């Protein structure tokens, strides 16, 4: 065999090995939900989360220190640096708080899959999230959330998504929960619409004594299609020295003993005193808690000003801290009692009763409408009086006050009140679109007086278009007052899973995507050996000079 033929054979054999390694990654066993437990789909073994929060410059409540954020799953060098350390902690899950759906996550996700690590991803980001003080569920938020789902659903090691994190944190802002629950409802419906595999959508709550019972009940109650698939609990009450009872862990366990979906610590690890000893790990995964809790996620991997870090990073280097050593020692000695899916018969199947609106709870079980960008576009094209292009966001807020103050009924179509459960059909449109509806409604209620469509030069009349396609039906459902119920589901998606910006992924050897799709069927190691043997025979018989 000539030298060139040897090179060609080696190249083809290496391509086959790479393709097979990609198949192995793609074949990672998804995690599924049965009753109140997680299981590996194929072998039915119960799955306990041994997790670490993994995102820099994010505070403990899941908010960023600024409006900018760094997607942790696009930096290949950082993933290569950190995954071996995560493996030393026996990590099988990481939580990431904000992903950029326009970027390519395939390399880091492949490395995580190779390491047996799953991902729970929050759907929001600092500039696009449900604000507890002025909650909305809009087409822009919808697009953001489904964009993340589109980008991540193709990876079998995505365990689930959080539709919100500590959005309500006091009795006076619990009405925001109605908007988060609408996001849960719509993301579950979207996953089903897109025919993705079953991926859970949940919520992560704070450990606030005044609202924790109400929040837990609210996200679990009502129709299954509206409620969470799993429930995360951010808790920092075990501060050493402490015990199962003194920390409140016993009370929380008793409270969730009959919860109908999986519950786990979405963040935990009190850092007073420091360094942490993580004594609570033995209890969390022990006989007292493991029948109820599906593990937990330690906050957090990166050392920052808040002193919660397990690891100190500087450029290409990462140095384990004393917290890392303590957690590694504790997690190595846990063996939670597990059940098999085949023999598991859930008895806690009844959902909680919805909390009653009152002084301690202010969220209605009537949820906001599903965002529908097509409807908002139709509406703006078919109003006679609309806001002028280029009006600033500050002026938009003042104009809302003006038009709604002149005629409250003109704004019925854009009302969004989580306390009363009253929502206009256009309340899910963006602010400029909503203002155009209010301007036009006022204009019509004033008998189409030209002076009623001015608002200090910020509004003008336009020639309307003839509604086409689904527009007539959508606008008919909205009604002239804007208070109708739109039953047509959104048809658009939040974005493409095809990345528009890519990091340098050349260092990763795993072939990803549809490359060598011929090798991604239900093949096994024997098939690979046959391929290699066949390739060897072909090239041994061929000279290339």
């Amino acid at each position: 065999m000539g030298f060139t033929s040897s090179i060609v054979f080696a190249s083809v054999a290496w391509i086959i090995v790479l393709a097979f390694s990609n198949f192995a990654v793609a074949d990672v066993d998804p995690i599924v939900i049965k009753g109140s437990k997680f299981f590996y789909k194929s072998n039915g073994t119960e799955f306990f989360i041994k997790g670490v929060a993994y995102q820099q410059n994010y505070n403990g409540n899941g908010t960023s220190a600024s409006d900018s954020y760094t997607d942790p799953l696009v930096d290949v060098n950082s993933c290569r640096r950190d995954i071996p350390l995560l493996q030393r902690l026996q990590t099988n899950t990481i939580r990431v708080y904000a992903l950029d759906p326009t970027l390519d996550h395939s390399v880091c996700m492949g490395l995580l899959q190779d390491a047996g690590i799953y991902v729970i991803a929050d759907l929001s980001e600092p500039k696009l999230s449900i604000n507890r003080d002025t909650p909305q569920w809009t087409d822009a938020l919808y697009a953001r959330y489904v964009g993340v789902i589109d980008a991540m659903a193709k990876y079998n090691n995505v365990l689930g998504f959080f539709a919100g994190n500590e959005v309500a944190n006091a009795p006076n802002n619990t009405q925001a929960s109605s908007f988060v629950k609408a996001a849960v409802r719509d993301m579950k419906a979207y996953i089903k619409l897109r025919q993705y595999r079953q991926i859970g959508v949940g919520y992560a709550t704070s450990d606030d004594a005044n609202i924790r019972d109400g929040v837990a009940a609210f996200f679990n109650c009502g129709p299954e299609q509206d409620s969470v698939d799993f429930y995360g609990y951010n808790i920092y009450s075990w501060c050493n020295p402490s015990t199962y009872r003194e920390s409140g862990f016993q009370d929380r366990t008793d409270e969730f003993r009959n919860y109908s979906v999986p519950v786990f610590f979405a963040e935990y690890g009190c850092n007073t005193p420091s360094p942490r000893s993580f004594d609570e790990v033995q209890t969390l995964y022990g006989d007292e808690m493991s029948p109820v809790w599906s593990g937990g996620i330690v906050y957090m991997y990166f050392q920052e000003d808040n002193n919660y870090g397990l690891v100190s990073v500087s450029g290409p280097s990462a140095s384990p801290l004393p917290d890392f050593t303590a957690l590694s020692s504790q997690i190595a000695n846990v063996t939670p009692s597990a059940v098999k899916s085949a023999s598991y018969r859930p008895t806690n199947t009844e959902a909680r009763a919805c909390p009653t609106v009152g002084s301690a709870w202010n969220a209605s079980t009537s949820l906001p409408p599903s965002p529908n960008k097509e409807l908002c576009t139709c509406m703006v094209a078919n109003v006679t009086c609309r806001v002028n292009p280029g009006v600033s966001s500050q002026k938009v807020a003042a104009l809302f006050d003006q038009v709604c103050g002149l005629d409250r009924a003109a704004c019925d179509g854009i009302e969004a009140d989580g306390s009363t459960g009253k929502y206009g059909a256009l309340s899910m449109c963006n602010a400029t679109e909503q203002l155009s509806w209010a301007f036009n409604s006022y204009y019509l209620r004033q008998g189409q007086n030209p002076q009623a469509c001015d608002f200090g030069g910020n509004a003008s009349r336009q020639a309307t278009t003839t509604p086409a396609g689904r527009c007539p039906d959508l606008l008919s459902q909205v009604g002239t007052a804007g208070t109708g119920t739109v039953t047509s589901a959104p048809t658009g998606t939040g974005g493409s899973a095809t990345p528009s910006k890519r990091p340098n992924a050349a260092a990763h050897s795993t072939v990803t995507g549809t490359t060598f799709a011929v090798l991604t069927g239900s093949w096994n190691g024997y098939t690979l050996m046959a391929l290699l043997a066949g390739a060897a025979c072909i090239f041994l018989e061929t000279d290339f000079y």
Side-chain angles (χ1 to χ4, degrees):
M1 181 171 63
F3 176 73
T4 307
S5 65
S6 300
I7 294 176
V8 174
F9 167 68
S11 299
V12 172
W14 180 238
I15 287 172
I16 294 172
V17 170
L18 290 180
F20 182 75
S21 71
N22 180 56
F23 164 73
V25 167
D27 198 42
V28 66
D29 203 3
I31 303 302
V32 296
I33 295 170
K34 181 179 180 181
S36 59
K37 297 183 182 296
F38 293 113
F39 294 94
Y40 289 99
K41 182 178 180 179
S42 297
N43 63 24
T45 300
E46 186 175 357
F47 180 84
F48 289 92
I49 294 172
K50 298 177 181 177
V52 174
Y54 184 76
Q55 186 144 8
Q56 288 182 281
N57 300 317
Y58 255 72
N59 298 323
N61 63 354
T63 59
S64 175
S66 67
D67 282 346
S68 63
Y69 66 95
T70 301
D71 187 327
L73 300 185
V74 297
D75 186 338
V76 177
N77 291 330
S78 293
C79 290
R80 289 190 175 279
R81 177 196 66 200
D82 296 334
I83 289 175
L85 289 173
L86 290 169
Q87 288 179 292
R88 284 172 56 183
L89 293 171
Q90 298 189 24
T91 303
N92 62 16
T93 306
I94 60 171
R95 178 182 178 183
V96 292
Y97 293 97
L99 297 177
D100 186 340
T102 69
L103 298 180
D104 180 12
H105 303 91
S106 60
V107 180
C108 283
M109 289 301 291
L111 292 168
L112 289 165
Q113 289 188 50
D114 289 341
I117 297 175
Y118 294 80
V119 174
I120 299 176
D122 288 49
L123 295 173
S124 63
E125 56 108 326
K127 292 185 290 186
L128 287 169
S129 61
I130 297 172
N131 186 304
R132 64 172 63 98
D133 298 318
T134 56
Q136 291 182 302
W137 178 230
T138 65
D139 52 12
L141 290 175
Y142 181 93
R144 157 70 196 184
Y145 286 25
V146 300
V148 174
I149 290 175
D150 284 339
M152 302 302 290
K154 59 188 173 184
Y155 302 111
N156 277 356
N157 62 329
V158 170
L159 192 156
F161 301 104
F162 279 131
N165 181 79
E166 297 188 2
V167 178
N169 65 356
N172 64 357
N173 57 38
T174 53
Q175 67 274 12
S177 300
S178 297
F179 297 85
V180 180
K181 193 168 182 178
V184 172
R185 173 200 65 199
D186 291 342
M187 294 307 98
K188 292 176 65 170
Y190 183 78
I191 290 170
K192 185 176 181 180
L193 173 71
R194 296 285 286 171
Q195 297 183 340
Y196 293 136
R197 65 179 175 86
Q198 291 185 350
I199 309 174
V201 180
Y203 176 72
T205 186
S206 63
D207 180 32
D208 188 287
N210 295 313
I211 64 171
R212 58 189 173 209
D213 291 342
V215 175
F218 184 77
F219 282 100
N220 182 241
C221 74
E224 184 275 334
Q225 62 266 26
D226 297 349
S227 59
V228 293
D229 297 312
F230 54 79
Y231 193 70
Y233 203 92
N234 299 341
I235 183 168
Y236 294 87
S237 62
W238 186 307
C239 300
N240 281 317
S242 192
T243 66
Y244 178 49
R245 182 183 61 81
E246 292 173 356
S247 64
F249 279 28
Q250 181 177 5
D251 292 336
R252 304 293 81 77
T253 300
D254 290 340
E255 290 162 4
F256 284 99
R257 196 169 300 280
N258 294 315
Y259 210 62
S260 64
V261 299
V263 292
F264 58 92
F265 288 177
E267 292 175 3
Y268 78 96
C270 173
N271 67 349
T272 304
S274 180
R276 295 178 281 185
S277 60
F278 289 106
D279 293 345
E280 68 266 41
V281 167
Q282 300 303 315
T283 303
L284 175 59
Y285 296 94
D287 292 341
E288 293 171 311
M289 294 186 69
S290 62
V292 175
W293 300 90
S294 296
I297 299 170
V298 170
Y299 187 83
M300 81 106 53
Y301 183 82
F302 298 98
Q303 175 70 322
E304 295 174 334
D305 291 342
N306 59 13
N307 197 34
Y308 277 93
L310 301 171
V311 173
S312 175
V313 300
S314 178
S317 64
S319 304
L321 298 172
D323 282 12
F324 180 101
T325 303
L327 178 61
S328 177
S329 175
Q330 293 282 6
I331 207 76
N333 291 311
V334 299
T335 53
S337 299
V339 299
K340 296 290 287 186
S341 176
S343 59
Y344 171 55
R345 299 290 181 268
T347 57
N348 49 335
T349 57
E350 185 175 347
R352 297 274 175 96
C354 292
T356 302
V357 174
S359 59
W361 186 257
N362 204 26
S364 170
T365 55
S366 177
L367 305 180
S370 299
N372 191 322
K373 184 63 179 175
E374 181 185 10
L375 168 57
C376 298
T377 302
C378 289
M379 178 272 291
V380 171
N382 286 278
V383 296
T384 303
C385 179
R386 63 170 293 176
V387 63
N388 289 333
V391 175
S392 68
S393 58
Q394 292 85 354
K395 188 170 288 186
V396 165
L399 290 168
F400 271 123
D401 291 339
Q402 182 180 355
V403 64
C404 297
L406 289 169
D407 185 353
R408 184 66 189 85
C411 294
D412 286 350
I414 59 173
E415 180 179 11
D417 191 331
S419 301
T420 63
K422 293 179 64 177
Y423 310 98
L426 287 311
S427 63
M428 47 72 193
C429 299
N430 67 41
T432 303
E433 292 165 340
Q434 289 185 35
L435 187 57
S436 288
W437 170 269
F439 279 174
N440 190 67
S441 181
Y442 178 78
Y443 170 72
L444 295 177
R445 291 171 62 83
Q446 295 298 311
Q448 302 184 50
N449 184 336
Q451 293 181 341
C453 185
D454 181 67
F455 292 95
N458 292 298
S460 58
R461 290 177 293 171
Q462 67 174 0
T464 60
T465 61
T466 302
R470 296 206 317 161
C471 283
D473 182 47
L474 291 171
L475 295 173
S476 174
Q477 293 178 49
V478 169
T480 56
T483 55
T485 300
V486 178
T487 58
S488 300
T491 57
T493 63
S496 172
T498 302
S500 60
K501 296 173 283 184
R502 291 179 180 271
N504 180 11
H508 186 48
S509 62
T510 302
V511 181
T512 59
T514 56
T515 308
F516 305 111
V518 69
L519 294 178
T520 61
S522 56
W523 293 15
N524 55 29
Y526 296 105
T527 310
L528 177 65
M529 292 302 102
L531 269 172
L532 291 174
C537 291
I538 291 171
F539 286 104
L540 284 171
E541 294 295 322
T542 307
D543 286 335
F544 294 86
Y545 291 103

